[in-house]
Amino acid sequence: MYEIFQKYLEEKAEFSQAESERIQSFAIIKKLRKRQYLLQEGDVWKYDAFITQGCVRTYTVDEKGSEHVNSFSIENWWTGDRESLMMQQPSRFNIDAIEDTELVLFTHENFESLCREIAAFNNMVNIILQRSFISAQNRIQASLTLTAEEKYLNFINKYPGFASRIPQTMIASYLGMTPETLSRIRKQTAKK
Amino acid sequence: MYEIFQKYLEEKAEFSQAESERIQSFAIIKKLRKRQYLLQEGDVWKYDAFITQGCVRTYTVDEKGSEHVNSFSIENWWTGDRESLMMQQPSRFNIDAIEDTELVLFTHENFESLCREIAAFNNMVNIILQRSFISAQNRIQASLTLTAEEKYLNFINKYPGFASRIPQTMIASYLGMTPETLSRIRKQTAKK
DNA sequence: TAAAACTCTTGATCTATATCAAGTTTTTAC
DNA sequence: GTAAAAACTTGATATAGATCAAGAGTTTTA
């Protein structure tokens, strides 16, 4: 499934034949079965990971054992724990597959080499990071200003298609509400 | 007050004399009086802005007229609206000074030139962005998992010194609670 | 330096959402 | 294909935090 990543690269920037080959030479293909972990709390995350197929969730588990979903990532997105990666510290997060998933991994050293060697690659990564930051900001803003119902409507509007792939319990957790509340909101909004 | 920025640069990376001068040649010094706007909702943000002195807040105003504080930035931090800057679209945010404030501004074109010309500068910017992203993630995580009291304790622990410079109303808004709730929490935690 | 305008506190009451509990439907796994 | 497990729904009740209101400090401004 490397072709999907190849296509993504071509869309984002122009790479020479040699550069493309260099990038591919570092790629590690990884497959995850549904429920399988990509990262477990306590482990240090060491990759930059691109999803070519499937869907994963990033979440924490609190002292009471409840899970709090931090993010979902699907094909053509990146996943991982930047904090653990950058600080080389054990992760507070778990990442596991919601569906059977295929990824392209780069060890961080290799990834950094690519950034250093290939200006277009570095630039691409930078733009992705800026986009990620912007969407994190928007999520914060939404959590501060919206009611539970508005959060849900905002979510399905922003990520159409997610609702049909991801269990409601996880979506509720992502939105910071209980599954019961989400169920009631869906019932209400269906009426309208 | 350019020296403060100069010192910041020296701490973050190594720049040659020529590079330092190049950076400085683009710097615009700006002073804000307390309450003065740096950015108003509807305007397009065009700078990269570093605070050498003082404190600003970034916030939105909803239909009911309530303010929602998205972030505080103090000396040795950056501020601005990345989304407006990147997408060249009108900002949803206001940024104004909580104290008399001094900044170093770069127009985004100049800033991008510096990134292109000076690898160490580009690298520095990249690291800052990664850090910002990480702290946005942590804020999301906190908003999903913590109670009002925990959010406040987490805040004063993470940003000691902020509580004494910033009005409680604004801190409450930043934490996603009412000023009354924050006042009661402070009373309770003071007892312990 | 006094009045106006904020900011913070405290109390009483309200409400959005959580929690608990049970039943139904859907998915998983042998 | 069927039993077990998981996911979703619905109702009853609880609660953290919001809202409203009013008084006490503090800061701003003229």
Side-chain angles (χ1 to χ4, degrees):
Chain A
M1 290 295 111
Y2 186 81
E3 312 80 60
I4 288 167
F5 182 57
Q6 180 65 40
K7 205 176 145 204
Y8 173 87
L9 288 174
E10 283 162 14
E11 271 168 25
K12 297 289 170 184
E14 299 234 330
F15 298 100
S16 70
Q17 180 73 19
E19 286 169 345
S20 288
E21 281 166 16
R22 180 84 175 139
I23 295 168
Q24 185 160 9
S25 76
F26 287 143
I28 301 163
I29 305 295
K30 171 141 189 152
K31 297 187 184 202
L32 295 177
R33 292 273 200 63
K34 187 171 178 172
R35 309 249 161 112
Q36 193 182 334
Y37 284 110
L38 178 62
L39 169 69
Q40 278 191 79
E41 192 181 341
D43 293 347
V44 177
W45 176 245
K46 299 195 174 295
Y47 303 97
D48 287 86
F50 180 86
I51 302 171
T52 53
Q53 179 82 246
C55 181
V56 305
R57 76 207 239 253
T58 302
Y59 64 100
T60 56
V61 180
D62 67 23
E63 333 76 56
K64 286 173 199 151
S66 340
E67 298 177 352
H68 300 273
V69 175
N70 185 78
S71 67
F72 301 114
S73 315
I74 62 163
E75 54 275 355
N76 286 304
W77 291 30
W78 297 80
T79 187
D81 177 0
R82 277 222 109 59
E83 184 166 23
S84 174
L85 184 72
M86 267 199 93
M87 313 302 179
Q88 284 294 300
Q89 72 189 18
S91 181
R92 297 175 299 125
F93 294 101
N94 300 279
I95 304 179
D96 67 13
I98 294 177
E99 306 165 357
D100 290 354
T101 297
E102 289 190 18
L103 303 106
V104 177
L105 302 183
F106 297 89
T107 66
H108 197 51
E109 299 85 71
N110 287 340
F111 198 82
E112 297 221 294
S113 300
L114 292 173
C115 287
R116 253 180 279 110
E117 291 169 19
I118 306 172
F121 192 86
N122 190 221
N123 204 45
M124 180 189 81
V125 168
N126 213 285
I127 288 169
I128 293 161
L129 196 59
Q130 296 207 40
R131 295 248 164 86
S132 309
F133 176 69
I134 290 168
S135 64
Q137 284 296 117
N138 287 151
R139 178 123 179 260
I140 290 168
Q141 202 56 24
S143 89
L144 289 175
T145 59
L146 305 183
T147 62
E149 181 177 356
E150 288 165 341
K151 281 176 197 168
Y152 174 67
L153 295 173
N154 182 50
F155 174 79
I156 53 172
N157 178 49
K158 198 160 175 182
Y159 305 109
F162 275 38
S164 58
R165 295 172 72 169
I166 300 170
Q168 274 184 50
T169 321
M170 295 182 190
I171 295 175
S173 169
Y174 174 86
L175 296 174
M177 64 187 74
T178 59
E180 293 94 330
T181 295
L182 181 55
S183 175
R184 285 185 252 261
I185 284 170
R186 281 166 52 85
K187 194 182 174 189
Q188 278 170 19
T189 59
K191 274 191 225 155
K192 294 173 189 169
Chain B
M1 291 295 113
Y2 187 80
E3 310 80 61
I4 289 167
F5 182 58
Q6 179 65 39
K7 206 176 144 204
Y8 173 87
L9 288 174
E10 282 161 16
E11 272 169 25
K12 297 289 170 183
E14 300 235 328
F15 297 100
S16 69
Q17 182 73 18
E19 287 169 344
S20 288
E21 281 167 15
R22 180 83 175 139
I23 295 168
Q24 184 160 11
S25 76
F26 286 143
I28 301 163
I29 305 296
K30 170 139 189 152
K31 298 187 182 200
L32 294 178
R33 293 270 200 64
K34 186 172 176 171
R35 309 249 159 112
Q36 193 182 333
Y37 284 111
L38 178 62
L39 170 67
Q40 279 191 78
E41 191 182 340
D43 293 347
V44 177
W45 177 245
K46 298 195 174 296
Y47 304 97
D48 286 86
F50 181 86
I51 301 171
T52 52
Q53 179 84 247
C55 181
V56 305
R57 77 207 239 252
T58 302
Y59 63 101
T60 55
V61 181
D62 67 23
E63 334 74 55
K64 287 174 198 150
S66 337
E67 297 175 352
H68 301 274
V69 176
N70 184 80
S71 67
F72 302 113
S73 316
I74 64 163
E75 54 276 353
N76 287 304
W77 291 29
W78 298 80
T79 187
D81 176 1
R82 277 221 109 61
E83 183 167 24
S84 174
L85 184 70
M86 266 199 95
M87 313 301 178
Q88 284 295 299
Q89 71 189 19
S91 182
R92 296 174 301 125
F93 294 102
N94 299 279
I95 304 178
D96 68 13
I98 294 177
E99 306 167 355
D100 291 352
T101 297
E102 288 189 18
L103 304 107
V104 178
L105 302 184
F106 297 90
T107 66
H108 198 50
E109 299 85 70
N110 287 340
F111 197 82
E112 297 222 293
S113 301
L114 293 172
C115 288
R116 252 180 280 112
E117 291 168 20
I118 306 170
F121 192 85
N122 190 220
N123 205 44
M124 179 188 82
V125 168
N126 213 285
I127 288 168
I128 292 162
L129 196 59
Q130 297 208 40
R131 295 246 164 88
S132 308
F133 177 70
I134 290 167
S135 68
Q137 284 297 118
N138 288 151
R139 179 120 179 262
I140 290 168
Q141 203 55 26
S143 88
L144 289 175
T145 59
L146 305 182
T147 63
E149 180 174 358
E150 288 165 341
K151 281 176 197 170
Y152 174 67
L153 294 174
N154 182 51
F155 174 79
I156 54 174
N157 178 49
K158 196 158 177 184
Y159 305 109
F162 274 39
S164 59
R165 294 171 74 168
I166 300 172
Q168 274 183 50
T169 321
M170 293 182 192
I171 295 175
S173 169
Y174 174 85
L175 296 174
M177 63 188 74
T178 60
E180 291 94 331
T181 296
L182 181 54
S183 175
R184 285 184 253 260
I185 284 170
R186 282 166 52 84
K187 194 183 175 187
Q188 278 171 20
T189 59
K191 272 190 224 156
K192 295 173 189 170

